Amino acid sequence: QKEVEQDPGPLSVPEGAIVSLNCTYSNSAFQYFMWYRQYSRKGPELLMYTYSSGNKEDGRFTAQVDKSSKYISLFIRDSQPSDSATYLCAMSEVSNIDMRFGAGTRLTVKP
Amino acid sequence: GAVVSQHPSWVICKSGTSVKIECRSLDFQATTMFWYRQFPKQSLMLMATSNEGSKATYEQGVEKDKFLINHASLTLSTLTVTSAHPEDSSFYICSASFSEQYFGPGTRLTVT
C-alpha cells in the first residue's frame, strides 16, 4: 500500500464547475497537509497549507482535512481554464520536512 | 516571493557520462534543500535531503555514490548523476526550505 494515494485522473470539467480532488493516506503521524499545483514541465507551487484537521479557505480554493478518516480534499469553485494543471497532495509529520506526495491528479477545465 | 532556480532546464547526455544539476535560492538563504525525481505521470519521489555544510541524507533505495549531492553554500546545492544510464532519464526537481518548501522549475534529463 502506498503511503499516499491519489487518483491520477485525468479529470475534465466545464468552466464554472466545482472540482473535488482527494487523497487518502496511511500514516497517522502526518500532521501537515499541502496541496500543490504543477503546470507541465514546471515545479510545483504551493496552493494550500493546513495543519491537523479542519477546513481552510483561500479565494476559490478550500482544503479539508479529516484525520480520523485519513482523507484530505481540495475544492475549487468556479473553475477556470487557467486552473488546468496537475494537483498534488503532500503531507508530512514535521513541517516542511520529509514530505510525501500523491501521484497528482491531472485536471482540465474546458471553456 | 522566494525564487528557486535550476540549471540546466533540459539536458541530454550519453550513457556513461556524468551530469551536474544546479539548484539556487535566488533571494533567500536555505539551510536545507531537497532533491526529488519525478517520472512521467508519477509523483515526486524524495531522493535526498541536503543540509548546508554537511553530508546529504539519502532516501532508502537511492544510491548515494550515483547521485552525488553537494550543498556548499546557503544558496546553492548541486546534484551530479554519475555514470548516467537511460533509466536515470527523469525530471529532477529541487526545493529550498525557508518558511515553506519552494520548488525549482525542474531539470529534464534524457540519457541516450
Side-chain angles (χ1 to χ4, degrees), chain B:
Chain B
V3 179
V4 177
S5 70
Q6 277 184 247
H7 178 78
S9 57
W10 184 37
V11 58
I12 301 175
C13 71
K14 292 186 176 181
S15 186
T17 62
S18 296
V19 175
K20 180 185 283 188
I21 302 170
E22 290 186 351
C23 176
R24 293 182 184 271
S25 56
L26 298 185
D27 50 4
F28 66 99
Q29 293 183 329
T31 55
T32 304
M33 289 185 172
F34 303 88
W35 287 95
Y36 296 84
R37 181 168 50 185
Q38 186 178 34
F39 292 107
K41 298 186 180 181
Q42 294 188 27
S43 182
L44 275 73
M45 298 298 295
L46 180 65
M47 298 176 66
T49 301
S50 168
N51 289 299
E52 186 263 339
S54 62
K55 291 184 178 180
T57 302
Y58 291 82
E59 293 298 301
Q60 191 174 8
V62 178
E63 301 174 57
K64 62 179 181 180
D65 294 329
K66 180 171 182 61
F67 298 98
L68 301 178
I69 292 173
N70 184 278
H71 193 164
S73 78
L74 290 171
T75 59
L76 173 64
S77 177
T78 60
L79 168 68
T80 301
V81 183
T82 63
S83 187
H85 290 284
E87 57 265 30
D88 298 323
S89 299
S90 187
F91 194 51
Y92 291 85
I93 304 177
C94 72
S95 71
S97 183
F98 185 46
S99 56
E100 62 183 72
Q101 279 196 36
Y102 295 93
F103 286 84
T107 296
R108 183 161 301 280
L109 170 64
T110 301
V111 184
T112 60

Side-chain angles (χ1 to χ4, degrees), chain A residues 6 20 23 26 28 35 39-40 42 46 50 58 61 66 68 74 80 86 88 91 97 106:
Chain A
Q6 182 178 10
S20 173
C23 289
S26 57
S28 58
W35 285 95
Y39 292 110
S40 181
K42 301 292 183 183
L46 182 66
T50 309
D58 184 2
F61 298 90
D66 182 350
S68 63
L74 177 70
Q80 303 295 310
T86 296
L88 300 148
M91 44 201 79
I97 299 293
R106 189 173 174 184

Side-chain angles (χ1 to χ4, degrees), chain A residues 5-94:
Chain A
E5 298 272 6
Q6 182 178 10
D7 186 343
L11 180 63
S12 181
V13 301
E15 183 174 356
I18 296 175
V19 176
S20 173
L21 304 168
N22 312 292
C23 289
T24 59
Y25 61 95
S26 57
N27 184 354
S28 58
F30 285 145
Q31 295 271 42
Y32 298 86
F33 304 91
M34 286 70 66
W35 285 95
Y36 287 86
R37 178 173 59 196
Q38 185 178 23
Y39 292 110
S40 181
R41 303 195 176 200
K42 301 292 183 183
E45 56 177 327
L46 182 66
L47 274 179
M48 301 288 283
Y49 178 96
T50 309
Y51 170 71
S52 195
S53 285
N55 296 354
K56 186 173 183 178
E57 187 174 322
D58 184 2
R60 296 185 293 112
F61 298 90
T62 299
Q64 289 185 350
V65 175
D66 182 350
K67 289 189 67 181
S68 63
S69 302
K70 298 191 183 69
Y71 186 88
I72 70 170
S73 302
L74 177 70
F75 298 95
I76 306 174
R77 291 185 300 279
D78 187 25
S79 56
Q80 303 295 310
S82 58
D83 294 328
S84 298
T86 296
Y87 289 81
L88 300 148
C89 63
M91 44 201 79
S92 63
E93 296 182 24
V94 179

